[in-house]
Amino acid sequence: MEADETREPFNTKAYAAAALAQGKTLDTVQSELSKRLQQTQRTLFSLINQRYEDFLGLSTSLTGIDTTIDELRAPLTNVKREIRAVSEELQTKLEYMDSRLAYRAQLREKKQVLRLFLDLGQLLNRVGLVLAEAEATKDPAEHVTCLERAAVDVSQIRYFARKGSEYPYVVAAQQRIQQIEESLLTALEHSLQPALERFLDQCTAQNDGSDPLASQTAGSDETAHLIAQTLRAYSTVEETERAEDIMRIALVRPIVSHVFGAQPGRGMGLEPEKFASMLRSVLQFAKSTCVPLVRSIESHLAAGSNGSTGYKLAVRVVWREISTCIMESLPLVFVPGMPERFHKNYREACVFVSEFSQMFSLSNDGAECDSLMLDPVYMEFSRKWQLSAYFSIQKKHVIAVLEDFERGKLPNAAHVSESNGTRSSTPVPKTQVDEKDVLQIKHDAGLLTEHAARAVWAVKQCWAPSVYLESLAAKFWQLTMQILLWYQQTAGQCIQQLIQRNTSKDSVQALESPELDELLHHMHDMFAIQEVAAEQTRAICRVVPGTDTGAHGISACLESAVGQALAPLDDTSNQAADHISSTIVAPSTSTLVSHLRRTTSQFRHTNRPPPSTPSPYIPKLFTYLESTESKITHDQTSERIKHMLRTRVIVRVTQEFARVCADALATISKTEASLLRLRKSRAHVARVDVGDVVVPIGVDLRGRVPDADNDKIRRQIWLDVDRVARIVRDYGVETDPEFARFVDLIQPLGI
């Protein structure tokens, strides 16, 4: 049994895991391992004894193994030596073959060089003959055809020259190659310039007021074909930029220099109407001359594999020359020294770029549009407009209006010197504000405070057509949010100051104070400006780029941002409403206790008949609320303020009224309970044992004491409470739950 156990392999990890899981100690583990070792040794001895002969034969079976190994070592060594010899022989043959192949490659390369020399010489001779033929011919079409052939040969010559630039033959031929290239480029220039001038003359003669795109004749089309051939030759020799420079100088520069170069003052104080007239003149030239030429050239030039002819004539010829001439001739037009003129001139420039793009089909998405947007001259033209400086001027204008009002200044008034406090006759800059605009906005928006009127004016100023620029949409939006934040903080500070000043007065004076009127005005404007801001945001969404293409997410984000900026106004309005309602409630409820006492005294021991009408003070309970509401203007916003005040005032007044009435009824019940406790049991009156417990309000004890004074008092209180409940319903305000429960509780008194 023990031998069978020891034959099984001993797994150390499994044994350790089992011991750990069983919680065995180290002594236990050591004891178990010692027992297993002893069992293993006994098993080993038993196996040796059982097969002792096999055990002794282990050493005898290895006899003679050394001799066998020595016999096998000699042939194996010979085989190894032979393999090494064959390997060395093969390596020698491979090296010989590599040397012969390298020699063959050298021969092939020399052969190619010789062929290159032969081809280069033939091309040099042939291109010379072609150029001579082109110079001799009088036909412009044949002349250009010869130049095209020469351009192909020159392109190959350049390839061979680059490939064999280290060989003396090619180095010696470099001077001749340069002379041929210069001759070709000169011939192409002499061919392109007259063709451009001829095309310009033909377009001028044909421009009789009809559609310039439909006025192409056979002559102008033939000239355009010659120009296209010349440009193709330039493209063959990779000189497209040189061809475009020639076209700019010969075709576009004379016209734009005449239009822009003759302006004095380098654009200083340039009238927008004059600038717009110059741009329209250039556009008319581009429409009548450049567009037909560009389209004709593109139709004659074969497009490459990428769909491009290699030329961007509209951008690199027409646009670059026009924009460069504007930047050089009118550099001061880009300076916002006069913001109004700068704004109009920039808008005219944007219209010009848009019409130019549409004219040359650059306004659609695609490579042509990208070529204009990514053109370095276009980017330089865009950067020239000092939009940041213009925005800074407009921002200072808006901020000055708000800051001057905070400091108590009025525009167009005299400044106060900061050094000595004396007045200066220097007027406030006219760029600050026109007071008539603020007053008009205040009237149109129905605003009552100067804070709100100036904030609305500032926001509208940012997005006014005479100020706003699409390129500055993000900055004007940021300024708008700053204006709304300014109003939110300023209105909050004003509310806090008015509340502090009004709190120091007694209740009646506080209701008649100008501070309360200002609080009402601020509440009105805080609600009104939220509506105006929402309407203005919708107007902003119509002019901000990207929000008019179905991007409802952007519009929603803008509206959400405005809502978040003005959200603290709700808390400020609630603070003002709470103060005003407290001011109204205090005098309205201060005499309730005395009125209830007067009611009690009217029916106790006076033998008066039971009451049938409410007390005279009940209709006057909300007199202060009505007088306060009379100060509020009648519009949709004012109704919102009235509802806020009514809700707060009525809830607090009815709560206080219910409390006073409940106390009075409780007092009556206590008195009756005390009287009943003192009386003995009579024949018709059952004994009521109430102890020290107050009789709940609404317990009708009139049956116990017929025609008692207390019943008359209860009846009068019920009439008063019922009348108050009717007044509350007439106001259209939801009844306070506590007051409603109180009305239901005393309902039995009215039966």
Side-chain angles (χ1 to χ4, degrees):
M1 186 68 179
E2 294 179 355
D4 294 337
E5 292 179 355
T6 55
R7 289 194 184 101
E8 297 178 0
F10 181 73
N11 193 330
T12 306
K13 294 183 178 179
Y15 177 80
L20 180 63
Q22 296 174 5
K24 296 180 180 180
T25 61
L26 292 177
D27 296 336
T28 304
V29 172
Q30 183 181 6
S31 176
E32 291 180 355
L33 292 176
S34 299
K35 291 180 181 180
R36 188 174 181 88
L37 177 61
Q38 293 174 3
Q39 292 175 0
T40 304
Q41 290 175 349
R42 287 196 297 269
T43 302
L44 178 61
F45 294 153
S46 175
L47 290 174
I48 292 173
N49 292 331
Q50 291 175 2
R51 303 180 63 178
Y52 185 71
E53 294 180 358
D54 295 336
F55 176 72
L56 294 176
L58 289 175
S59 59
T60 58
S61 61
L62 297 176
T63 304
I65 191 66
D66 296 338
T67 305
T68 305
I69 292 174
D70 293 338
E71 292 175 355
L72 292 175
R73 181 178 291 112
L76 291 175
T77 303
N78 294 333
V79 171
K80 182 177 180 181
R81 187 183 301 109
E82 292 175 0
I83 292 173
R84 186 181 296 110
V86 172
S87 176
E88 292 176 355
E89 183 179 358
L90 291 175
Q91 183 65 29
T92 303
K93 292 181 178 181
L94 287 174
E95 291 177 356
Y96 175 76
M97 291 180 63
D98 290 341
S99 63
R100 300 307 298 172
L101 290 174
Y103 178 71
R104 183 179 179 181
Q106 292 177 0
L107 292 178
R108 186 184 295 111
E109 184 178 356
K110 291 180 179 180
K111 183 179 178 181
Q112 291 178 354
V113 171
L114 291 175
R115 186 176 299 169
L116 182 148
F117 292 162
L118 293 174
D119 293 342
L120 182 59
Q122 292 176 0
L123 288 172
L124 291 174
N125 295 330
R126 187 171 65 186
V127 74
L129 296 175
V130 174
L131 290 175
E133 181 182 354
E135 186 177 359
T137 184
K138 301 298 183 181
D139 185 8
E142 185 178 354
H143 177 75
V144 174
T145 302
C146 293
L147 294 180
E148 277 195 278
R149 290 164 48 198
V152 174
D153 292 340
V154 169
S155 178
Q156 294 181 355
I157 290 172
R158 286 182 173 180
Y159 170 74
F160 290 144
R162 287 194 299 269
K163 190 173 182 181
S165 59
E166 72 276 8
Y167 297 106
Y169 177 81
V170 178
V171 175
Q174 283 294 335
Q175 184 175 2
R176 184 180 178 188
I177 294 173
Q178 293 177 359
Q179 292 176 354
I180 291 175
E181 290 179 352
E182 293 176 358
S183 299
L184 175 61
L185 294 176
T186 302
L188 289 173
E189 182 176 354
H190 291 167
S191 176
L192 181 58
Q193 284 184 345
L196 292 172
E197 295 174 358
R198 187 163 59 252
F199 184 86
L200 184 60
D201 295 338
Q202 291 170 352
C203 289
T204 303
Q206 294 164 8
N207 189 14
D208 55 357
S210 61
D211 185 4
L213 301 182
S215 62
Q216 290 293 101
T217 63
S220 60
D221 188 68
E222 180 181 356
T223 305
H225 180 64
L226 293 176
I227 296 174
Q229 283 184 289
T230 308
L231 294 179
R232 186 161 50 239
Y234 271 110
S235 178
T236 303
V237 295
E238 300 178 353
E239 293 288 348
T240 55
E241 294 184 0
R242 185 166 183 169
E244 291 170 349
D245 291 340
I246 295 173
M247 292 187 69
R248 282 199 300 271
I249 296 172
L251 182 66
V252 185
R253 182 170 297 178
I255 302 300
V256 297
S257 298
H258 174 73
V259 173
F260 297 112
Q263 299 302 319
R266 299 174 63 80
M268 178 181 293
L270 181 62
E271 293 290 342
E273 294 77 10
K274 181 64 176 177
F275 187 59
S277 176
M278 290 188 290
L279 295 178
R280 284 194 297 270
S281 299
V282 174
L283 279 177
Q284 181 61 31
F285 159 73
K287 184 177 182 180
S288 61
T289 303
C290 300
V291 173
L293 178 61
V294 170
R295 292 185 178 178
S296 298
I297 291 174
E298 290 177 349
S299 64
H300 287 97
L301 289 178
S305 58
N306 59 352
S308 174
T309 61
Y311 287 96
K312 303 292 183 183
L313 300 179
V315 176
R316 296 202 290 250
V317 174
V318 184
W319 167 257
R320 286 187 179 181
E321 187 60 31
I322 294 173
S323 57
T324 301
C325 187
I326 295 175
M327 289 187 288
E328 293 178 353
S329 302
L330 306 173
L332 297 181
V333 79
F334 301 93
V335 180
M338 300 179 180
E340 295 83 2
R341 293 187 179 182
F342 176 86
H343 176 273
K344 293 180 180 179
N345 288 332
Y346 179 77
R347 294 292 297 269
E348 292 294 340
C350 292
V351 172
F352 168 75
V353 173
S354 176
E355 293 183 1
F356 181 88
S357 300
Q358 294 177 1
M359 188 181 300
F360 288 96
S361 302
L362 302 177
S363 57
N364 300 324
D365 294 336
E368 291 294 336
C369 180
D370 293 340
S371 66
L372 178 61
M373 297 296 107
L374 299 178
D375 182 66
V377 179
Y378 175 84
M379 291 189 285
E380 178 65 20
F381 180 79
S382 301
R383 286 194 297 266
K384 272 282 187 179
W385 294 96
Q386 299 181 18
L387 297 177
S388 298
Y390 169 78
F391 175 76
S392 299
I393 294 174
Q394 296 295 345
K395 183 178 181 180
K396 290 179 180 179
H397 176 197
V398 171
I399 293 177
V401 175
L402 305 179
E403 290 181 347
D404 286 349
F405 175 71
E406 284 186 338
R407 292 193 296 263
K409 294 181 180 179
L410 290 177
N412 299 327
H415 284 299
V416 177
S417 176
E418 297 181 357
S419 59
N420 53 15
T422 59
R423 288 193 170 272
S424 171
S425 60
T426 305
V428 176
K430 185 172 177 57
T431 56
Q432 286 192 358
V433 69
D434 186 355
E435 283 296 312
K436 294 182 179 179
D437 293 341
V438 177
L439 294 176
Q440 186 65 36
I441 289 176
K442 186 176 181 180
H443 176 268
D444 295 341
L447 302 174
L448 303 177
T449 62
E450 194 74 11
H451 292 85
R454 289 181 180 268
V456 173
W457 173 88
V459 173
K460 290 183 177 293
Q461 182 73 8
C462 292
W463 303 96
S466 59
V467 175
Y468 168 70
L469 293 175
E470 287 188 359
S471 302
L472 298 172
K475 292 187 176 182
F476 276 116
W477 175 253
Q478 184 179 10
L479 179 58
T480 300
M481 299 304 295
Q482 293 175 354
I483 294 170
L484 296 179
L485 180 62
W486 170 86
Y487 174 75
Q488 177 256 317
Q489 295 176 347
T490 304
Q493 294 174 0
C494 290
I495 292 294
Q496 294 297 332
Q497 294 175 2
L498 291 172
I499 290 176
Q500 291 177 1
R501 293 204 301 265
N502 206 37
T503 304
S504 60
K505 302 178 181 179
D506 60 38
S507 57
V508 178
Q509 290 180 348
L511 287 173
E512 300 299 331
S513 66
E515 285 80 5
L516 187 133
D517 296 340
E518 291 186 29
L519 284 173
L520 292 173
H521 293 169
H522 278 289
M523 287 184 63
H524 176 277
D525 286 357
M526 281 188 288
F527 292 134
I529 201 170
Q530 294 184 51
E531 299 176 358
V532 173
E535 180 181 357
Q536 184 64 31
T537 303
R538 290 189 290 270
I540 291 172
C541 292
R542 292 192 290 268
V543 299
V544 171
T547 57
D548 57 347
T549 57
H552 300 294
I554 298 179
S555 302
C557 289
L558 297 183
E559 294 176 0
S560 175
V562 172
Q564 293 178 2
L566 297 179
L569 291 180
D570 294 335
D571 295 336
T572 306
S573 301
N574 289 329
Q575 293 178 7
D578 291 340
H579 172 75
I580 296 174
S581 62
S582 300
T583 306
I584 297 173
V585 169
S588 300
T589 59
S590 60
T591 58
L592 285 178
V593 176
S594 61
H595 284 307
L596 264 297
R597 290 176 181 173
R598 191 176 298 112
T599 298
T600 302
S601 62
Q602 286 178 354
F603 293 100
R604 194 174 299 282
H605 308 299
T606 59
N607 200 23
R608 287 191 177 188
S612 60
T613 59
S615 300
Y617 75 90
I618 295 299
K620 301 178 182 179
L621 198 59
F622 299 102
T623 301
Y624 293 111
L625 175 62
E626 295 174 355
S627 63
T628 303
E629 289 183 350
S630 64
K631 301 178 181 180
I632 304 174
T633 57
H634 299 285
D635 55 20
Q636 187 175 0
T637 303
S638 300
E639 292 301 323
R640 184 177 176 182
I641 299 174
K642 290 180 181 179
H643 181 74
M644 290 180 64
L645 296 179
R646 287 176 180 177
T647 302
R648 287 169 168 77
V649 171
I650 289 175
V651 167
R652 296 179 64 179
V653 169
T654 53
Q655 287 178 349
E656 181 65 18
F657 181 67
R659 185 189 65 79
V660 174
C661 292
D663 291 343
L665 291 173
T667 301
I668 295 172
S669 298
K670 287 180 181 180
T671 303
E672 288 184 343
S674 300
L675 292 175
L676 290 174
R677 192 167 50 248
L678 294 175
R679 293 177 183 179
K680 301 297 181 180
S681 177
R682 303 284 178 88
H684 301 288
V685 180
R687 182 176 181 272
V688 180
D689 187 7
V690 295
D692 295 331
V693 179
V694 178
V695 177
I697 299 172
V699 175
D700 190 2
L701 299 177
R702 290 178 295 168
R704 307 293 184 182
V705 185
D707 299 327
D709 294 340
N710 291 336
D711 295 333
K712 297 177 184 179
I713 297 172
R714 289 191 181 97
R715 179 70 177 181
Q716 184 64 61
I717 292 175
W718 178 84
L719 290 172
D720 295 344
V721 172
D722 182 69
R723 178 56 181 162
V724 170
R726 294 176 184 274
I727 294 175
V728 171
R729 286 195 296 270
D730 293 340
Y731 272 113
V733 178
E734 186 176 354
T735 306
D736 179 62
E738 295 182 6
F739 180 72
R741 286 194 297 270
F742 177 73
V743 174
D744 294 337
L745 189 61
I746 67 171
Q747 189 63 33
L749 297 178
I751 298 175

